Amino acid sequence: MELISDVVVDTLRLIPFLFLTYVLLTYVEQKDAYRFHRLIQRYKYLGPSIGAILGVIPQCGFSVMAACLYLNSSISIGTLIAVFFSTSDEAIPMLLARPQSFDLLWKLLIAKVIFGMLIGYLIDLLTRFHFHQDKRDRFVEDVHCHHFWQEVIQRTLSVTVYIFIFSLLLSFIMEQFTAESISLFMENLGWLQPVLCALIGFIPNCASSVLLCELFFHGFIEAGALFCGLCCNAGLGFMILLRSQSWKTVFFCAAVLFVSALCGCLLF
Protein backbone atom coordinates (compact mmCIF):
# COMPACT_ATOMS: atom_id res chain seq x y z
CA MET A 1 0.00 0.00 0.00
CA GLU A 2 2.88 2.37 0.75
CA LEU A 3 4.24 1.81 -2.75
CA ILE A 4 0.90 2.65 -4.33
CA SER A 5 0.44 5.74 -2.15
CA ASP A 6 3.89 7.04 -3.12
CA VAL A 7 3.12 6.60 -6.81
CA VAL A 8 -0.26 8.29 -6.34
CA VAL A 9 1.40 11.30 -4.67
CA ASP A 10 4.07 11.56 -7.39
CA THR A 11 1.41 11.38 -10.11
CA LEU A 12 -0.84 13.95 -8.43
CA ARG A 13 2.05 16.41 -8.40
CA LEU A 14 2.12 16.29 -12.19
CA ILE A 15 -1.57 17.04 -12.70
CA PRO A 16 -1.29 20.86 -12.29
CA PHE A 17 1.49 20.97 -14.91
CA LEU A 18 -0.45 18.75 -17.30
CA PHE A 19 -3.67 20.68 -16.76
CA LEU A 20 -2.09 24.10 -17.35
CA THR A 21 -0.27 22.80 -20.41
CA TYR A 22 -3.48 21.47 -21.94
CA VAL A 23 -5.39 24.64 -21.10
CA LEU A 24 -2.80 26.55 -23.14
CA LEU A 25 -2.59 24.04 -25.98
CA THR A 26 -6.35 23.54 -26.30
CA TYR A 27 -6.97 27.28 -26.26
CA VAL A 28 -4.38 27.82 -28.96
CA GLU A 29 -5.77 24.98 -31.08
CA GLN A 30 -9.34 26.25 -30.86
CA LYS A 31 -8.69 29.99 -31.08
CA ASP A 32 -5.71 31.01 -33.14
CA ALA A 33 -3.20 28.26 -33.75
CA TYR A 34 -1.77 29.93 -36.85
CA ARG A 35 -0.81 33.16 -35.05
CA PHE A 36 0.62 31.23 -32.09
CA HIS A 37 2.91 29.09 -34.26
CA ARG A 38 4.01 32.17 -36.21
CA LEU A 39 5.00 33.73 -32.86
CA ILE A 40 6.89 30.59 -31.84
CA GLN A 41 8.72 30.54 -35.17
CA ARG A 42 9.68 34.21 -34.81
CA TYR A 43 11.27 33.70 -31.36
CA LYS A 44 12.51 30.15 -31.91
CA TYR A 45 16.11 31.24 -31.33
CA LEU A 46 15.35 31.85 -27.64
CA GLY A 47 13.89 28.36 -27.15
CA PRO A 48 16.97 26.42 -25.96
CA SER A 49 17.98 29.23 -23.58
CA ILE A 50 14.54 29.44 -21.98
CA GLY A 51 14.21 25.67 -21.91
CA ALA A 52 17.58 25.11 -20.20
CA ILE A 53 16.80 27.72 -17.54
CA LEU A 54 13.29 26.45 -16.80
CA GLY A 55 14.52 22.86 -16.76
CA VAL A 56 16.60 23.35 -13.61
CA ILE A 57 13.47 24.11 -11.57
CA PRO A 58 13.11 21.05 -9.32
CA GLN A 59 9.92 19.59 -10.74
CA CYS A 60 9.69 16.61 -13.08
CA GLY A 61 6.59 18.16 -14.62
CA PHE A 62 8.71 20.39 -16.85
CA SER A 63 10.03 17.46 -18.89
CA VAL A 64 6.43 16.30 -19.33
CA MET A 65 5.34 19.79 -20.33
CA ALA A 66 8.23 20.10 -22.80
CA ALA A 67 7.28 16.79 -24.44
CA CYS A 68 3.66 17.97 -24.72
CA LEU A 69 4.71 21.25 -26.31
CA TYR A 70 7.06 19.50 -28.74
CA LEU A 71 4.36 17.08 -29.88
CA ASN A 72 2.08 20.08 -30.39
CA SER A 73 4.73 21.69 -32.66
CA SER A 74 5.15 24.54 -30.17
CA ILE A 75 8.87 24.08 -29.41
CA SER A 76 11.79 22.80 -31.45
CA ILE A 77 13.67 19.54 -30.95
CA GLY A 78 16.64 21.53 -29.61
CA THR A 79 14.49 23.21 -26.97
CA LEU A 80 13.09 19.83 -25.95
CA ILE A 81 16.61 18.43 -25.49
CA ALA A 82 17.69 21.54 -23.56
CA VAL A 83 14.86 20.99 -21.07
CA PHE A 84 15.59 17.26 -20.82
CA PHE A 85 19.29 17.90 -20.20
CA SER A 86 18.88 20.55 -17.50
CA THR A 87 16.09 18.88 -15.52
CA SER A 88 17.14 17.25 -12.23
CA ASP A 89 13.85 16.27 -10.63
CA GLU A 90 14.21 15.67 -6.86
CA ALA A 91 18.00 16.01 -6.81
CA ILE A 92 18.07 19.76 -6.14
CA PRO A 93 15.96 19.64 -2.93
CA MET A 94 18.08 16.73 -1.70
CA LEU A 95 21.33 18.62 -2.34
CA LEU A 96 19.90 21.78 -0.77
CA ALA A 97 19.13 19.80 2.37
CA ARG A 98 22.87 19.15 2.80
CA PRO A 99 24.88 22.39 3.20
CA GLN A 100 28.12 20.52 2.49
CA SER A 101 26.80 19.85 -1.04
CA PHE A 102 26.17 23.51 -1.96
CA ASP A 103 29.39 23.86 -3.96
CA LEU A 104 28.53 20.77 -6.00
CA LEU A 105 24.94 21.95 -6.42
CA TRP A 106 25.91 25.26 -8.03
CA LYS A 107 28.46 23.55 -10.24
CA LEU A 108 25.83 21.04 -11.36
CA LEU A 109 23.22 23.73 -12.09
CA ILE A 110 25.59 25.97 -14.03
CA ALA A 111 26.96 23.05 -16.04
CA LYS A 112 23.49 21.72 -16.83
CA VAL A 113 22.19 25.13 -17.96
CA ILE A 114 25.22 25.97 -20.11
CA PHE A 115 25.50 22.49 -21.61
CA GLY A 116 21.73 22.40 -22.14
CA MET A 117 21.82 25.68 -24.06
CA LEU A 118 24.83 24.71 -26.17
CA ILE A 119 23.47 21.27 -27.03
CA GLY A 120 20.00 22.66 -27.72
CA TYR A 121 21.31 25.28 -30.14
CA LEU A 122 23.68 22.78 -31.77
CA ILE A 123 20.84 20.32 -32.40
CA ASP A 124 18.58 23.10 -33.70
CA LEU A 125 21.26 24.29 -36.10
CA LEU A 126 21.95 20.77 -37.34
CA THR A 127 18.23 20.01 -37.77
CA ARG A 128 17.41 23.53 -39.03
CA PHE A 129 15.12 24.15 -36.06
CA HIS A 130 13.04 21.02 -36.55
CA PHE A 131 9.47 21.09 -35.22
CA HIS A 132 7.21 18.07 -34.80
CA GLN A 133 5.09 17.73 -37.93
CA ASP A 134 1.71 17.10 -36.32
CA LYS A 135 -0.15 20.26 -35.39
CA ARG A 136 -2.02 18.34 -32.74
CA ASP A 137 -0.54 15.91 -30.22
CA ARG A 138 -1.64 12.30 -30.19
CA PHE A 139 -2.19 11.45 -26.55
CA VAL A 140 -5.83 10.68 -27.25
CA GLU A 141 -7.70 9.68 -30.35
CA ASP A 142 -8.49 12.39 -32.86
CA VAL A 143 -11.89 13.28 -31.44
CA HIS A 144 -13.31 16.68 -32.30
CA CYS A 145 -14.58 18.04 -28.99
CA HIS A 146 -16.32 21.42 -29.06
CA HIS A 147 -16.37 21.90 -25.31
CA PHE A 148 -13.14 23.52 -24.18
CA TRP A 149 -12.94 22.25 -20.59
CA GLN A 150 -14.16 18.80 -21.51
CA GLU A 151 -11.27 18.40 -23.94
CA VAL A 152 -8.74 19.79 -21.46
CA ILE A 153 -9.86 17.37 -18.74
CA GLN A 154 -10.02 14.44 -21.14
CA ARG A 155 -6.48 14.96 -22.39
CA THR A 156 -5.09 15.59 -18.90
CA LEU A 157 -6.66 12.44 -17.46
CA SER A 158 -5.50 10.35 -20.41
CA VAL A 159 -1.85 11.15 -19.81
CA THR A 160 -2.19 11.05 -16.01
CA VAL A 161 -3.53 7.48 -16.07
CA TYR A 162 -0.75 6.42 -18.41
CA ILE A 163 1.93 7.93 -16.16
CA PHE A 164 0.40 6.33 -13.06
CA ILE A 165 0.36 2.83 -14.55
CA PHE A 166 3.90 3.09 -15.88
CA SER A 167 5.29 4.58 -12.65
CA LEU A 168 3.59 1.93 -10.53
CA LEU A 169 5.12 -0.84 -12.60
CA LEU A 170 8.62 0.64 -12.42
CA SER A 171 8.37 1.38 -8.70
CA PHE A 172 7.43 -2.23 -8.07
CA ILE A 173 10.44 -3.44 -10.05
CA MET A 174 12.84 -1.06 -8.28
CA GLU A 175 11.52 -2.12 -4.88
CA GLN A 176 12.71 -5.68 -5.51
CA PHE A 177 16.33 -4.55 -5.26
CA THR A 178 17.68 -3.32 -1.92
CA ALA A 179 19.67 -0.12 -1.67
CA GLU A 180 22.58 -2.09 -0.17
CA SER A 181 22.86 -4.45 -3.13
CA ILE A 182 22.71 -1.58 -5.62
CA SER A 183 25.30 0.44 -3.69
CA LEU A 184 27.75 -2.47 -3.49
CA PHE A 185 27.40 -3.08 -7.19
CA MET A 186 28.00 0.60 -8.04
CA GLU A 187 31.05 0.77 -5.80
CA ASN A 188 32.74 -2.03 -7.76
CA LEU A 189 32.01 -0.59 -11.21
CA GLY A 190 34.90 1.85 -11.36
CA TRP A 191 35.06 3.82 -14.62
CA LEU A 192 31.76 2.34 -15.80
CA GLN A 193 29.90 4.29 -13.10
CA PRO A 194 28.94 7.23 -15.37
CA VAL A 195 27.53 4.87 -17.99
CA LEU A 196 25.31 3.00 -15.56
CA CYS A 197 24.25 6.19 -13.77
CA ALA A 198 23.17 7.63 -17.12
CA LEU A 199 21.07 4.52 -17.73
CA ILE A 200 19.54 4.85 -14.25
CA GLY A 201 18.67 8.45 -15.08
CA PHE A 202 16.55 7.30 -18.02
CA ILE A 203 14.23 5.39 -15.65
CA PRO A 204 10.91 7.29 -15.90
CA ASN A 205 10.33 7.69 -12.19
CA CYS A 206 11.17 10.33 -9.57
CA ALA A 207 12.92 7.60 -7.58
CA SER A 208 15.84 7.51 -10.03
CA SER A 209 17.16 10.94 -9.01
CA VAL A 210 16.67 10.08 -5.34
CA LEU A 211 18.62 6.85 -5.80
CA LEU A 212 21.48 8.66 -7.57
CA CYS A 213 21.75 11.25 -4.81
CA GLU A 214 21.72 8.60 -2.09
CA LEU A 215 24.50 6.71 -3.87
CA PHE A 216 26.53 9.91 -4.02
CA PHE A 217 25.89 10.86 -0.39
CA HIS A 218 27.09 7.44 0.74
CA GLY A 219 30.26 7.75 -1.35
CA PHE A 220 29.46 4.94 -3.78
CA ILE A 221 29.60 7.11 -6.92
CA GLU A 222 31.65 10.13 -7.95
CA ALA A 223 30.33 13.61 -8.75
CA GLY A 224 30.84 13.01 -12.47
CA ALA A 225 28.68 9.89 -12.36
CA LEU A 226 25.98 11.84 -10.50
CA PHE A 227 26.10 14.52 -13.19
CA CYS A 228 25.65 11.89 -15.92
CA GLY A 229 22.65 10.37 -14.21
CA LEU A 230 20.93 13.70 -13.57
CA CYS A 231 21.51 14.90 -17.15
CA CYS A 232 19.59 11.86 -18.39
CA ASN A 233 16.88 12.23 -15.75
CA ALA A 234 14.00 13.08 -18.09
CA GLY A 235 12.27 9.72 -18.09
CA LEU A 236 8.72 11.03 -17.67
CA GLY A 237 9.19 13.22 -20.73
CA PHE A 238 10.29 10.17 -22.70
CA MET A 239 7.13 8.39 -21.56
CA ILE A 240 5.02 11.06 -23.23
CA LEU A 241 6.98 10.69 -26.47
CA LEU A 242 6.59 6.91 -26.32
CA ARG A 243 2.88 7.33 -25.69
CA SER A 244 2.63 9.21 -28.98
CA GLN A 245 4.75 6.54 -30.73
CA SER A 246 7.53 9.03 -31.54
CA TRP A 247 10.19 6.32 -31.50
CA LYS A 248 12.74 8.14 -33.64
CA THR A 249 12.53 11.23 -31.43
CA VAL A 250 12.97 9.12 -28.29
CA PHE A 251 16.08 7.36 -29.60
CA PHE A 252 17.55 10.58 -30.97
CA CYS A 253 17.04 12.54 -27.72
CA ALA A 254 18.28 9.64 -25.59
CA ALA A 255 21.45 9.29 -27.67
CA VAL A 256 22.18 13.02 -27.51
CA LEU A 257 21.65 13.12 -23.75
CA PHE A 258 23.77 10.02 -23.18
CA VAL A 259 26.76 11.19 -25.22
CA SER A 260 26.56 14.76 -23.89
CA ALA A 261 26.33 13.60 -20.28
CA LEU A 262 29.39 11.37 -20.65
CA CYS A 263 31.35 14.27 -22.16
CA GLY A 264 30.17 16.67 -19.44
CA CYS A 265 31.18 14.38 -16.59
CA LEU A 266 34.82 15.05 -17.47
CA LEU A 267 34.39 18.48 -15.84
CA PHE A 268 33.85 16.92 -12.41
Side-chain angles (χ1 to χ4, degrees):
M1 290 300 296
E2 183 179 356
L3 174 65
I4 297 177
S5 63
D6 289 342
V7 175
V8 169
V9 171
D10 289 338
T11 305
L12 289 177
R13 290 175 180 172
L14 292 175
I15 292 180
F17 285 86
L18 289 172
F19 183 77
L20 291 175
T21 299
Y22 281 120
V23 167
L24 171 63
L25 296 183
T26 305
Y27 177 82
V28 168
E29 289 168 359
Q30 293 188 1
K31 297 298 181 180
D32 199 349
Y34 177 75
R35 181 179 300 177
F36 176 75
H37 288 292
R38 285 289 299 273
L39 184 66
I40 291 293
Q41 288 283 348
R42 180 180 302 175
Y43 296 102
K44 63 184 179 182
Y45 302 106
L46 298 177
S49 297
I50 297 173
I53 294 172
L54 290 179
V56 298
I57 298 176
Q59 172 54 254
C60 51
F62 278 105
S63 64
V64 174
M65 183 182 294
C68 294
L69 292 172
Y70 172 74
L71 291 173
N72 193 254
S73 304
S74 298
I75 62 175
S76 66
I77 184 70
T79 302
L80 176 68
I81 291 177
V83 174
F84 281 4
F85 191 91
S86 64
T87 188
S88 299
D89 204 1
E90 302 296 332
I92 293 178
M94 292 187 68
L95 291 170
L96 283 173
R98 295 174 179 255
Q100 66 271 25
S101 302
F102 282 1
D103 289 341
L104 174 64
L105 174 61
W106 290 114
K107 191 174 181 180
L108 280 172
L109 293 180
I110 293 173
K112 284 166 75 68
V113 170
I114 294 177
F115 264 75
M117 288 182 182
L118 293 176
I119 295 166
Y121 280 116
L122 177 62
I123 295 301
D124 271 344
L125 290 173
L126 293 177
T127 61
R128 298 181 181 179
F129 285 84
H130 168 76
F131 282 76
H132 189 62
Q133 295 303 310
D134 291 347
K135 296 302 180 183
R136 177 186 177 89
D137 64 43
R138 295 178 292 176
F139 297 139
V140 296
E141 291 77 8
D142 190 15
V143 177
H144 295 286
C145 177
H146 299 290
H147 195 282
F148 177 82
W149 293 111
Q150 179 181 343
E151 182 166 354
V152 170
I153 294 173
Q154 179 183 359
R155 299 168 81 177
T156 301
L157 290 179
S158 174
V159 179
T160 300
V161 170
Y162 179 77
I163 290 176
F164 172 77
I165 294 174
F166 207 96
S167 298
L168 183 62
L169 176 63
L170 286 170
S171 295
F172 176 77
I173 294 174
M174 292 179 68
E175 197 177 58
Q176 305 309 306
F177 300 93
T178 64
E180 291 77 12
S181 62
I182 297 175
S183 298
L184 182 61
F185 177 72
M186 294 295 295
E187 187 178 15
N188 295 327
L189 271 180
W191 61 273
L192 287 176
Q193 274 189 16
V195 175
L196 185 57
C197 286
L199 296 178
I200 292 175
F202 284 121
I203 297 175
N205 191 290
C206 297
S208 60
S209 60
V210 175
L211 173 61
L212 289 167
C213 287
E214 288 297 331
L215 290 172
F216 175 75
F217 293 149
H218 286 85
F220 295 115
I221 63 174
E222 303 294 332
L226 176 65
F227 176 79
C228 281
L230 295 182
C231 288
C232 297
N233 190 228
L236 289 175
F238 283 115
M239 282 175 54
I240 301 303
L241 298 177
L242 287 173
R243 177 68 175 83
S244 68
Q245 299 180 1
S246 300
W247 301 101
K248 291 183 179 180
T249 302
V250 170
F251 290 131
F252 177 74
C253 291
V256 171
L257 291 181
F258 185 76
V259 174
S260 303
L262 292 180
C263 292
C265 80
L266 299 176
L267 297 174
F268 292 85

